[in-house]
Amino acid sequence: MRIPNWLALTLIIGAIFLGAVGAMWGAIEAVALAATLLPAPPEPFATIGVIVAKIGLIVFGFVMGLASLMTLFGDRKQSARIQNRLGPNQAQFFGQSLIGLPHFIADGIKMVLKEDVVPDDANKLLHTAAPALMLIPALVGWAAVPFMDYYCHAPSDPEAARMAIQASYPFEVCKTQTSNYFQIMHVNSGLLFAFAIVSIEVYGNAIAGWASNNKYSLLGGIRAAAQMISYEVSLGLSLAGILMIYGTLDFREMVVHQAELAWGWLPLWGVVVQPLAFFLFFLAGMAETKRAPFDLPEGESELVAGFFTEYSTMKFGVIQVADYAATVFLGGLTAVIFFGGWHVPFLYADGFYFGGLAGEPTLSLPYHLVVATRLVAMCFKIVVLVWLQFMLRWTLPRFRYDQVMMLGWKVLLPAALANLLITALIVSIF
Amino acid sequence: MGEVNVKTLEQRERTFLEQSYIPEIVKGLGVTVKHFFKNISPFEDERMTVTYNYPEEPTEYSDRYRGQHRLMVREDGQVRCVACMCCSTLCPADCIHIEAAEHDDPSIEKYPEVFVIDQLRCIDCGLCVEACPCDAIRMDSGEHVEAFGDRGKAFFDRDKLMELGGQSLAEQGGDHIPEHPS
């Protein structure tokens, strides 16, 4: 019997969600449980152990899983559906084509087994290092992205948790012991960190272009550098208004601020407060990921494949995955800054309150379920934003190079400045 | 001097909203999103994809598709062909080889002792079917001629062609032949 596509899709996406959330949470809870039962290991090892577990689960479990699956689902299947095609469906596991999942594995095996070609007179060291220089920044940035708030221990005492909620509307305040489980590294300047990391990604592109000893590659690398520097300005400036409103560089606090509801029903997410900034940030961010309609560094029609013309085997695969990882990272940043991160509207620590915080919750939920819902909400927002980027990528035709530069400097930059000015006026008046 | 009929087209200025691309991008996004969601619909008839998964879902041929030849048989299972040579004479590819022989039954003048179609030469024109006066050869089997790994296998003889054959509804020999006394 053949499994229908929609069922396979539901199963695979459900597996990603459950795997990400369940593994992230279950493993950390298991570590905490082990800490209570076993004698505590000496201090540096305990912290290092938890951090390694977080990195493994968040970065390699969720982000890399999603990014590499995007090579199949995002680029091949989604584009096929948009264009009324079917996409890859011939490779099969036990007679099941599973919406092309075996193709993804076959591609990986093919990439690993192919011959690795380094051109004559290329700088072998830099040629080999460049893909890593592209992938690593896209993954390191996740250190600052929070998937969930501080986790309150002692959830078994509902009375304490309930008082904690009502004590300071609309935020939940943990009066008991807390742990920062769902963020790898809590830096109070997380935004600066993320931007610094995103900016270095261009070194990988420029080095890849230069080290290949190929004119197409060099042009692609130069284009990548110029484009990223141009869009970095609008990317940063578009967020200045957000910084003014939230008054913090800390991603966690930004998300906490977005818990407020205006008039009791409209969640004051970043996209509601700063719609223009969201548009500019998303556009500039898409330009940063160097995918269509901004795929000038790749330049299929004029530069063969741009800065990765001379790459083969898994080096090529790593460059592709780095692109998708950057796409997922942009999704993560946008979800945290503009879409309320882990927040689900009306959901508080002990359930849904549809009619204001006074009185009992409309729908009571145990604390663990609330945490799981929030983790799923965060992952879901990231997935939707990644999906939206792919939608845009297959909707818009690509720009010419001068148009890209003109859009960056003559449209996005003045718009970001105007947005900044208006926000500053409003913030200083009220 | 003839007049050149020049039609002047008015170039419409783009409005500010169009110039800003934002509504247009949203419109375009609407189209792609509509296609995406229609095509992942669990209900097959809502999808807009027209692809046939060919080897798994064979295409339906029309009734007029000219497939592999077949030789029709009489009521008693003998070949219907009377070896009149019409088809082999008309065949533009010269791919039908017939050797006629006397039939034991006095009411049947001839029958094909050898009837071979060279499928490598056949151009599937269907003229043999048009030429046949007694509805003995047909191309309505709806089957492909298979691919051959060996040229010798491309010669389809009488028995192989008769395997697909059925009885024709047409009366053998038409109205003019007197009924067999038996």
Side-chain angles (χ1 to χ4, degrees):
Chain A
M1 192 199 89
R2 198 176 154 273
I3 300 176
N5 277 347
W6 58 271
L7 185 62
L9 188 70
T10 321
L11 286 179
I12 289 169
I13 289 182
I16 294 175
F17 272 99
L18 285 182
V21 174
M24 220 187 278
W25 192 24
I28 288 165
E29 195 78 339
V31 169
L33 183 68
T36 60
L37 296 179
L38 302 172
E43 186 32 48
F45 296 109
T47 320
I48 289 172
V50 170
I51 289 178
V52 168
K54 282 187 206 171
I55 292 175
L57 294 167
I58 294 180
V59 172
F60 294 104
F62 181 69
V63 178
M64 282 296 284
L66 188 59
S68 42
L69 270 183
M70 277 300 141
T71 60
L72 174 81
F73 290 135
D75 236 16
R76 299 176 69 180
K77 289 304 264 194
Q78 189 176 340
S79 66
R81 294 301 173 173
I82 294 167
Q83 296 162 353
N84 294 354
R85 292 182 287 115
L86 291 179
N89 62 356
Q90 291 300 303
Q92 290 181 338
F93 275 146
F94 306 110
Q96 303 290 341
S97 65
L98 296 174
I99 50 173
L101 194 66
H103 277 270
F104 160 65
I105 290 148
D107 279 351
I109 293 170
K110 180 193 79 177
M111 293 238 180
V112 171
L113 294 181
K114 279 178 98 170
E115 185 191 356
D116 180 21
V117 181
V118 179
D120 277 353
D121 298 331
N123 187 324
K124 194 169 183 197
L125 177 68
L126 290 182
H127 188 268
T128 312
L133 288 180
M134 278 177 240
L135 180 61
I136 290 170
L139 297 182
V140 169
W142 285 96
V145 175
F147 274 72
M148 229 299 283
D149 203 352
Y150 280 100
Y151 179 70
C152 299
H153 293 284
S156 55
D157 186 3
E159 192 57 34
R162 179 141 180 72
M163 282 171 67
I165 291 172
Q166 292 194 333
S168 135
Y169 176 83
F171 312 122
E172 302 153 20
V173 175
C174 264
K175 292 186 171 172
T176 50
Q177 193 195 350
T178 59
S179 298
N180 180 18
Y181 279 164
F182 306 104
Q183 186 177 9
I184 295 171
M185 175 181 75
H186 184 197
V187 269
N188 56 9
S189 56
L191 189 68
L192 288 186
F193 174 78
F195 267 64
I197 293 297
V198 165
S199 311
I200 7 179
E201 207 189 328
V202 72
Y203 285 104
N205 301 315
I207 287 173
W210 181 80
S212 300
N213 188 31
N214 178 321
K215 284 170 188 162
Y216 292 123
S217 298
L218 184 58
L219 280 172
I222 291 170
R223 278 185 176 192
Q227 183 177 322
M228 288 193 78
I229 288 167
S230 308
Y231 278 83
E232 200 75 37
V233 183
S234 328
L235 195 69
L237 270 177
S238 65
L239 285 188
I242 285 279
L243 295 187
M244 267 183 226
I245 290 174
Y246 295 143
T248 177
L249 285 167
D250 186 345
F251 279 138
R252 192 195 144 263
E253 280 184 33
M254 278 189 193
V255 180
V256 168
H257 276 287
Q258 295 177 51
E260 291 181 59
L261 298 175
W263 307 295
W265 58 271
L266 181 65
L268 276 181
W269 290 353
V271 69
V272 179
V273 185
Q274 289 265 297
L276 182 61
F278 162 68
F279 183 74
L280 297 174
F281 178 80
F282 203 60
L283 209 60
M286 275 187 74
E288 288 269 311
T289 58
K290 301 183 297 304
R291 295 176 44 72
F294 301 100
D295 64 343
L296 276 305
E298 193 179 322
E300 273 172 0
S301 56
E302 64 261 18
L303 294 185
V304 190
F307 57 88
F308 55 89
T309 305
E310 293 291 357
Y311 279 89
S312 50
T313 68
M314 206 56 202
K315 286 181 188 169
F316 172 80
V318 167
I319 291 175
Q320 290 292 314
V321 171
D323 260 13
Y324 294 112
T327 310
V328 182
F329 185 53
L330 175 66
L333 279 189
T334 318
V336 165
I337 300 172
F338 290 102
F339 284 92
W342 59 80
H343 283 305
V344 182
F346 308 111
L347 179 66
Y348 294 94
D350 57 351
F352 283 98
Y353 288 84
F354 291 116
L357 266 183
E360 292 290 308
T362 323
L363 180 63
S364 247
L365 292 177
Y367 185 65
H368 285 84
L369 197 58
V370 171
V371 173
T373 313
R374 289 179 167 171
L375 276 172
V376 169
M378 176 69 186
C379 298
F380 178 72
K381 283 171 187 172
I382 294 175
V383 170
V384 168
L385 284 166
V386 169
W387 173 83
L388 184 65
Q389 289 180 62
F390 280 103
M391 255 5 244
L392 279 169
R393 181 238 190 287
W394 290 104
T395 302
L396 301 176
R398 62 197 284 266
F399 289 99
R400 219 170 21 182
Y401 193 64
D402 60 320
Q403 289 172 330
V404 167
M405 284 295 151
M406 208 192 73
L407 182 72
W409 289 107
K410 289 189 181 170
V411 180
L412 293 190
L413 186 60
L417 283 171
N419 182 50
L420 179 61
L421 189 69
I422 294 167
T423 316
L425 279 176
I426 293 175
V427 168
S428 61
I429 288 169
F430 296 105
Chain B
M1 294 287 284
E3 273 189 27
V4 181
N5 203 5
V6 177
K7 189 178 179 187
T8 319
L9 286 177
E10 286 211 6
Q11 291 280 339
R12 194 168 61 84
E13 287 280 310
R14 275 183 287 182
T15 61
F16 175 75
L17 272 182
E18 280 173 355
Q19 200 92 48
S20 78
Y21 291 120
I22 297 170
E24 305 299 311
I25 286 175
V26 172
K27 265 188 222 166
L29 205 56
V31 172
T32 46
V33 166
K34 193 185 87 185
H35 276 245
F36 177 73
F37 279 110
K38 276 202 159 183
N39 284 330
I40 62 169
S41 156
F43 306 106
E44 294 226 358
D45 47 339
E46 281 188 13
R47 294 187 202 147
M48 297 157 99
T49 9
V50 291
T51 316
Y52 282 107
N53 282 321
Y54 168 61
E56 294 96 35
E57 302 168 11
T59 43
E60 298 253 327
Y61 293 124
S62 79
D63 292 340
R64 301 177 59 185
Y65 174 77
R66 296 199 285 266
Q68 184 183 323
H69 305 80
R70 58 177 183 155
L71 284 179
M72 309 300 282
V73 293
R74 295 167 195 261
E75 283 169 15
D76 55 358
Q78 292 184 43
V79 67
R80 213 176 147 85
C81 174
V82 294
C84 69
M85 301 290 188
C86 279
C87 53
S88 68
T89 311
L90 194 59
C91 180
D94 200 12
C95 70
I96 304 177
H97 173 72
I98 302 171
E99 286 173 20
E102 287 280 342
H103 201 281
D104 296 338
D105 189 337
S107 69
I108 303 173
E109 199 176 352
K110 290 190 290 183
Y111 82 103
E113 195 173 31
V114 177
F115 190 108
V116 177
I117 295 180
D118 181 357
Q119 295 286 7
L120 288 177
R121 298 189 71 165
C122 175
I123 55 170
D124 295 302
C125 63
L127 283 180
C128 49
V129 182
E130 300 294 326
C132 185
C134 51
D135 192 23
I137 186 165
R138 288 195 189 177
M139 294 181 81
D140 60 354
S141 60
E143 288 189 17
H144 286 291
V145 179
E146 70 217 45
F148 317 107
D150 179 4
R151 275 166 192 265
K153 289 179 183 162
F155 295 96
F156 283 16
D157 61 8
R158 192 188 67 187
D159 296 338
K160 185 170 172 67
L161 292 168
M162 277 168 68
E163 275 172 19
L164 286 170
Q167 272 191 21
S168 170
L169 286 179
E171 199 179 328
Q172 183 82 41
D175 295 328
H176 305 294
I177 288 182
E179 205 176 323
H180 186 246
S182 70

